[in-house]
């Protein structure tokens, strides 16, 4: 792992995001938009820095918001890794996902179709709404020719992307891979849909306390938007060019529940198998894993199921945190941004807090960095991500 | 309402700047949309739709292929 990039509700880059995470700041607020006023859930974690502050105007109008932020995060990661154009592009890959794709473009262009007719529909509609759009845009930006892939597994998307990226390098298809995910679907229809499932918090009168993983009074997730990007690089390639190495992707595991389209398996069997697969691939003792950046979205069933899985597979010695308490749920961007948090926890020796954990669920029998960051020496940390459809991903990072 | 060639060129220039980021100083009758101004086929679709709206003309799709240069477009719109 040689480069990190992000744009999140907490900051327009990795440094500002990390600073806010460690400080325990919430990125959630009440939505002032007119379209939000009749929704059951009127709170969300919108981007701290608008893409329009970073990208040129003409570029913006041809990209869906998810593609814009994918580009912003990927460019940061690329620059952070110190990569340049002299890289062998036939050995450069991209794995970049989105959970939902360009839903806001789809809705906006459908309005244009209804109101003004087919001829007024933007010729960029299709490349803007296709779910592989963020991957394609990032791939084009850097001229990647080893393969551009777009996993789509709902909220497990960008963790799955990192796993695929590691596999691309392991099997020898690429030397460098830009991996990550992006999501930007804070809009009426997506929010109404999640609300109809009763998946979202309705704590509209108290936005910063709405995302509260593992707390007794949690009532659903809070939607966020954002993107995270990571540069994965074959170790000898990174060493040969003297790149700084943040951490190692020591193992990854991908499984599926075979249980329900949206309900998590209450025993977290599939999630547990993903964690076990990551640990097995890394070939380390689970006791060496000091920290799990958990998927924990602040939903009643999922949060506690995951705790069972972690306890069973990793053990009861780990310190958990749920950074979604601050960022909200970035859906397809979650796994990448949370992997960055897990990696920086190793690098900095600090686990960001889980805010709003005032009254822990009685079933929470693992240690959580509750409400304050925790200084801990870490050799290995795990990130988990689970998605609607029963997709499970676990990523195990170790000290460089 | 009829437009002068200068008015049309200026209006096109505004559209080209808005949808494709073309520098207004580069817009002249002899300039090719694709070769000189870097307006690709998708951007050209946007230019045509915006020009139809601005100048109150119809530019059929099979006509667009003949509009190679800014001057071609100005002449077509001038004829109305």
């Amino acid at each position: 792992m040689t480069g990190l990039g992000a744009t999140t509700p907490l900051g327009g880059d990795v440094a500002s995001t990390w600073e806010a995470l460690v400080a325990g700041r919430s990125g959630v607020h009440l939505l002032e938009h007119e379209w939000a006023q009749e929704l059951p859930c009127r709170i969300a974690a919108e981007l701290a820095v608008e893409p329009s502050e970073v990208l040129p105007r003409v570029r913006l109008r041809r990209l869906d918001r998810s593609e814009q932020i994918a580009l912003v995060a990927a460019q940061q990661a690329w620059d952070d890794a110190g990569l340049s154009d002299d890289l062998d592009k036939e050995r450069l890959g991209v794995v970049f996902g989105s959970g939902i794709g360009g839903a806001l473009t789809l809705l906006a262009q459908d309005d244009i179709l209804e109101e003004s007719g087919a001829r007024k529909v933007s010729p960029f509609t299709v490349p803007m709404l296709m779910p592989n759009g963020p991957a394609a845009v990032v791939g084009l930006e850097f001229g990647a020719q080893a393969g551009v892939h777009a996993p789509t597994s709902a909220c497990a998307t960008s963790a799955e992307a990192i796993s695929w990226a590691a596999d691309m390098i392991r099997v020898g298809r690429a030397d460098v891979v830009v991996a990550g995910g992006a999501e930007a679907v804070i809009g009426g229809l997506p929010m109404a849909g999640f609300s109809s499932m009763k998946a979202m918090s309705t704590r509209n009168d108290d936005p910063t306390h709405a995302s509260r993983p593992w707390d007794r009074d949690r009532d659903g997730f809070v939607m966020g938007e954002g993107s995270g990007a990571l540069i994965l690089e074959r170790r000898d390639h990174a060493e040969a060019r003297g790149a700084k190495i943040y951490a190692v992707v020591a193992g990854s595991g991908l499984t599926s529940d075979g249980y329900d389209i949206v309900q998590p398996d209450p025993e977290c069997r599939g999630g547990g198998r993903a964690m076990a697969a990551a640990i097995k691939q890394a070939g380390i003792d689970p006791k060496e894993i000091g920290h799990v950046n958990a998927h924990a979205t602040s939903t009643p069933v999922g949060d506690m199921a995951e705790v069972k899985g972690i306890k069973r597979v990793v053990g009861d010695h780990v310190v958990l945190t749920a950074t979604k308490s601050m960022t909200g749920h970035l859906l397809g961007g979650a796994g990448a941004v949370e992997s960055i948090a897990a990696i920086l926890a190793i690098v900095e020796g600090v686990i960001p807090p889980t805010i709003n954990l005032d009254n822990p669920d009685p079933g929470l029998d693992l240690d959580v960095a509750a409400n304050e960051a925790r200084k801990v020496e870490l050799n290995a940390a795990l990130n988990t991500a689970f998605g609607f459809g029963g997709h499970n991903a676990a990523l195990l990072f170790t000290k460089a | 309402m009829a437009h002068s060639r200068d008015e049309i060129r200026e209006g096109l220039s505004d559209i080209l700047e808005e949808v494709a980021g073309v520098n207004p100083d580069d817009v002249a009758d002899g300039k090719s949309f694709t070769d000189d101004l870097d307006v690709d086929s998708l951007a050209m679709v946007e230019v045509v739709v915006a020009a139809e709206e601005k100048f109150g003309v119809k530019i059929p799709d099979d006509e667009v292929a003949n509009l190679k240069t800014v001057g071609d477009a100005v002449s077509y719109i001038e004829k109305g």
Side-chain angles (χ1 to χ4, degrees), chain A residues 57-58 61-62 119-124 127, chain B residues 17-19 21 42-43 46 52-53 59 61:
Chain A
R57 189 184 53 79
V58 172
R61 56 178 285 141
R62 296 176 182 187
R119 210 170 152 73
K120 294 289 168 65
V121 170
S122 167
F124 297 97
Chain B
E17 186 183 19
E18 170 67 23
V19 308
L42 293 188
E46 282 196 300
E52 286 182 340
E53 195 159 303
I59 309 175
D61 288 345

Side-chain angles (χ1 to χ4, degrees), chain A:
Chain A
M1 216 56 104
T2 56
L4 306 176
T7 181
T8 75
L10 300 177
D13 58 18
V14 170
S16 55
T17 298
W18 176 249
E19 191 260 328
L21 283 174
V22 173
R25 279 205 292 280
S26 170
V28 182
H29 58 220
L30 188 66
L31 294 172
E32 307 284 351
H33 313 285
E34 202 183 321
W35 56 256
Q37 299 314 311
E38 299 302 318
L39 294 174
C41 172
R42 297 187 294 281
I43 51 177
E46 294 178 291
L47 289 171
V49 176
E50 278 297 309
S52 57
E53 294 176 42
V54 186
L55 296 172
R57 189 184 53 79
V58 172
R59 200 82 205 270
L60 287 167
R61 56 178 285 141
R62 296 176 182 187
L63 299 174
D64 179 74
R65 190 170 171 84
S66 62
E67 297 169 337
Q68 295 169 5
I69 60 178
L71 201 52
V72 169
Q75 185 68 57
Q76 289 173 11
W78 182 266
D79 294 341
D80 184 39
L83 292 167
S84 63
D85 244 7
D86 54 14
L87 196 70
D88 179 358
K89 300 300 174 69
E90 291 186 11
R91 301 287 301 161
L92 171 65
V94 170
V95 190
F96 221 96
S98 155
I100 299 181
L104 300 184
T105 291
L106 180 70
L107 293 165
Q109 293 299 323
D110 186 58
D111 286 347
I112 291 172
L113 174 65
E114 297 288 332
E115 287 161 19
S116 311
R119 210 170 152 73
K120 294 289 168 65
V121 170
S122 167
F124 297 97
T125 300
V126 173
M128 286 170 75
L129 68 78
M130 59 193 196
N132 55 316
V137 166
V138 170
L140 280 170
E141 182 68 17
F142 303 116
Q145 293 167 34
V148 171
H149 308 290
T152 301
S153 49
C155 309
T157 293
S158 55
E160 185 169 341
I162 295 168
S163 177
W164 285 22
D167 287 349
M168 276 184 91
I169 291 176
R170 283 186 216 283
V171 303
R173 286 183 53 208
D175 296 328
V176 178
V177 183
V178 185
E183 201 81 70
V185 291
I186 297 177
L189 187 73
M191 289 188 66
F194 281 114
S195 285
S196 290
M197 298 172 84
K198 309 293 176 204
M200 296 184 90
S201 171
T202 54
R203 197 184 282 259
N204 297 311
D205 56 350
D206 192 9
T208 59
H209 296 106
S211 185
R212 41 197 315 118
W214 301 309
D215 187 85
R216 205 175 54 196
D217 299 318
R218 66 191 184 278
D219 71 331
F221 79 85
V222 175
M223 191 185 283
E225 57 179 354
S227 177
L230 304 93
I231 306 293
L232 281 77
E233 190 168 352
R234 221 181 57 232
R235 180 186 275 279
D236 58 351
H237 191 276
E239 285 172 350
R241 66 183 188 90
K244 71 174 177 297
I245 301 174
Y246 283 98
V248 178
V249 191
S252 59
L254 300 176
T255 65
S256 46
D257 278 349
Y259 178 80
D260 188 85
I261 187 76
V262 291
Q263 291 298 327
D265 174 349
E267 299 303 317
C268 194
R269 282 169 291 206
R273 282 188 292 113
M275 297 178 218
I279 293 166
K280 187 178 175 199
Q281 185 175 43
I284 68 171
D285 187 325
K287 288 194 183 65
E288 290 180 51
I289 303 169
H291 165 50
V292 180
N293 187 308
H295 183 63
T297 61
S298 187
T299 54
V301 180
D303 289 14
M304 298 319 299
E306 182 179 8
V307 167
K308 282 188 197 171
I310 293 169
K311 191 177 174 187
R312 192 174 64 241
V313 176
V314 185
D316 57 10
H317 62 282
V318 286
V319 182
L320 308 188
T321 201
T323 40
K324 287 187 183 78
S325 59
M326 296 171 278
T327 60
H329 191 351
L330 306 181
L331 309 177
V337 169
E338 288 156 25
S339 286
I340 290 171
I343 289 163
L344 290 178
I346 296 173
V347 173
E348 304 289 336
V350 179
I351 296 173
T354 301
I355 65 168
N356 303 324
L357 187 50
D358 301 326
N359 298 296
D361 186 298
L364 178 64
D365 51 2
L366 293 178
D367 188 9
V368 176
N371 301 313
E372 275 187 26
R374 181 94 55 95
K375 284 198 167 157
V376 185
E377 183 76 15
L378 294 169
N379 290 316
L382 194 70
N383 172 238
T384 54
F386 313 129
F388 280 168
H391 312 276
N392 308 300
L395 301 165
L396 182 49
F397 304 107
T398 55
K399 210 169 191 137

